[in-house]
Amino acid sequence: MPMILHSELPASLAECQGVDLHMHSTASDGALSPVDLVALCHRRGLTHMALTDHDTVAGVAAAASAAEALGIRLLPATELSSQWQGLNIHVVGLLPGEAQGALSTGLESQAQAREARAEEIAARLEKVGLSNALARAREQAGEQRPLGRPDFARALVDAGLVPDIATAFKKHLGSGKPGDVKAHWPYLSEVVEWIVDSGGVAVLAHPLRYGLTRRKRGLLLDAFREAGGEAAELISGFQNADATRDLARQLDERGLYGSLGSDFHFPGGPVAPGAMSPVPRTAVAPVWTHPRLSTFAARLN
Ligand code: AMP
Ligand code: MN
Ligand code: MN
Ligand code: MN
C-alpha cells in the first residue's frame, strides 16, 4: 500500500501557527543550547522549527534528537553570511537533510573566514582601546565556537568602554563602523549556490533589516533570484505592517516563496520562539510547500 502524505501545515501563510524557521543556539550567538532551545519551542507550542545558526550546522544533530523525542519537526538549516554591493546579507538555507556537497566545503571556509575576520575586528578594536581584544572576545564566547560581533560587543561592555550592547554596535560594530568587517564573506550568489547544491531552499533573511529603499530591495531580490534563491522571509520577528504588505507584493511579483521566523537569540529579549508579527493576507506561498521540503510539512499516516 502506498503511504499517503497529509500536510500538517496550512497551504496559506496567514493561517500558519506554531512554526518558526529562524532561531539561534549556542552553536552560534544564541544563549540556549540546541537541546534547551528545542525544549523551549516545545513548551511554547511550536510544531515545526528550523535551527539557523550563523554559518554552521554544529547544533543540528543535538537539536534533531531532542526534537524527535518531543515530537517536533525540525528542519536542519543555517544562516549564511555573504556580501552584495558592499552590504552584509544573510541567507538562510533550509535543508531537507544533512549539509552536503558544496555546502559542506562552504561551511568549512565560513569558519575560516570568521576566524580571519575575528582577528581583523580585534586589531581594529584595539585601536579604540580594547587591549587583548581577541582573547577577551574568546572569553565571552565561552566555548570553542567561531566568534561573532556579539562576542566583541560583550567584551567592550565588560571592559567598561561602552555602557551596553546597543552602544557597542552603534559606536564600534554596526554597519559602517570599524568593527563591521565584511570583506571575508563570499558573494551572495556563492552561498545561494552552496544551498542549492546541498538540496536545500535558499531564503533571503530579514529583507527589511538592511536599511534599503524599496527599489534597492527589489534589486537585491532580483539578484538573489537570479542566483537560484527561491524564498525570502516575509516575517522576521516584529515588523511594520505596511512594510510587510509592501514586501509581500515584491515577493509575489517575483514568484518567491515566503518564510517566517522570530530570529530568536536569547530569553528576555524582544522576541521569543514562535513570537512574531502576524502574516497579512497574501498570495505568497509558504516555503514549506516547496517540493524540496515536502517531508517537513507532511505527516505519515
Ligand atoms: P556576525 O554574524 O558576527 O556578523 O554578527 C551579527 C549578529 O550580531 C547578528 O546576527 C545579531 O545577532 C547581532 N547584532 C547585529 N546588530 C546588532 C545590534 N545593533 N544590537 C545587538 N545585536 C546585534
Ligand atoms: Mn545573530
Ligand atoms: Mn541575520
Ligand atoms: Mn539570525
Side-chain angles (χ1 to χ4, degrees):
M1 273 251 305
M3 279 189 285
I4 303 163
L5 291 165
H6 287 284
S7 182
E8 271 182 76
L9 290 176
S12 129
L13 270 170
E15 285 161 44
C16 148
Q17 269 196 330
V19 183
D20 191 331
L21 302 182
H22 190 142
M23 288 179 283
H24 296 268
S25 76
T26 48
S28 66
D29 57 1
L32 302 184
S33 71
V35 171
D36 289 346
L37 173 65
V38 172
L40 177 59
C41 290
H42 183 251
R43 285 201 299 280
R44 291 185 53 84
L46 296 193
T47 57
H48 292 73
M49 64 180 287
L51 179 63
T52 56
D53 278 307
H54 296 286
D55 303 301
T56 183
V57 289
V60 166
S65 29
E68 194 176 352
L70 293 169
I72 288 190
R73 284 234 180 227
L74 181 129
L75 206 48
T78 179
E79 179 179 18
L80 296 174
S81 309
S82 78
Q83 53 170 317
W84 176 80
Q85 305 218 339
L87 297 163
N88 183 192
I89 303 295
H90 287 173
V91 179
V92 165
L94 298 178
L95 312 170
E98 273 176 36
Q100 48 183 297
L103 182 59
S104 305
T105 47
L107 288 172
E108 282 169 33
S109 64
Q110 290 295 79
Q112 286 165 13
R114 244 178 213 284
E115 207 56 54
R117 184 180 83 137
E119 283 173 26
E120 195 167 329
I121 293 174
R124 293 184 182 192
L125 293 185
E126 296 205 359
K127 290 194 184 132
V128 299
L130 186 69
S131 57
N132 298 316
L134 194 59
R136 285 177 193 256
R138 168 65 55 215
E139 194 184 314
Q140 291 298 321
E143 36 190 306
Q144 270 309 109
R145 58 156 176 81
L147 297 178
R149 281 181 285 166
D151 303 311
F152 287 97
R154 280 194 286 272
L156 286 164
V157 175
D158 191 61
L161 290 167
V162 290
D164 51 39
I165 301 285
T167 311
F169 272 92
K170 202 181 287 174
K171 284 179 74 174
H172 303 297
L173 294 157
S175 187
K177 301 297 169 193
D180 175 32
V181 180
K182 296 178 288 253
H184 298 270
W185 299 133
Y187 290 117
L188 175 71
S189 57
E190 293 178 69
V191 304
V192 170
E193 282 161 23
W194 297 346
I195 294 164
V196 173
D197 192 63
S198 193
V201 176
V203 184
L204 182 69
H206 41 70
L208 298 176
R209 268 202 267 145
Y210 302 114
L212 302 175
T213 59
R214 182 178 207 274
R215 200 186 90 81
K216 187 90 190 259
R217 191 165 60 244
L219 295 176
L220 170 60
L221 289 166
D222 289 339
F224 180 72
R225 200 165 157 272
E226 187 75 18
E230 296 176 274
E233 289 178 346
L234 179 56
I235 303 287
S236 174
F238 292 97
Q239 59 193 48
N240 177 278
D242 288 334
T244 303
R245 275 189 289 272
D246 199 32
L247 178 59
R249 274 193 292 276
Q250 290 190 299
L251 301 194
D252 199 17
E253 280 162 14
R254 291 166 177 81
L256 291 163
Y257 288 89
S259 186
L260 79 197
S262 60
D263 206 357
F264 173 76
H265 281 75
F266 50 86
V271 297
M276 61 194 88
S277 292
V279 185
R281 219 166 258 292
T282 172
V284 174
V287 70
W288 53 81
T289 61
H290 190 291
R292 288 176 129 173
L293 302 178
S294 57
T295 56
F296 173 66
R299 165 177 56 194
L300 289 175
N301 272 10

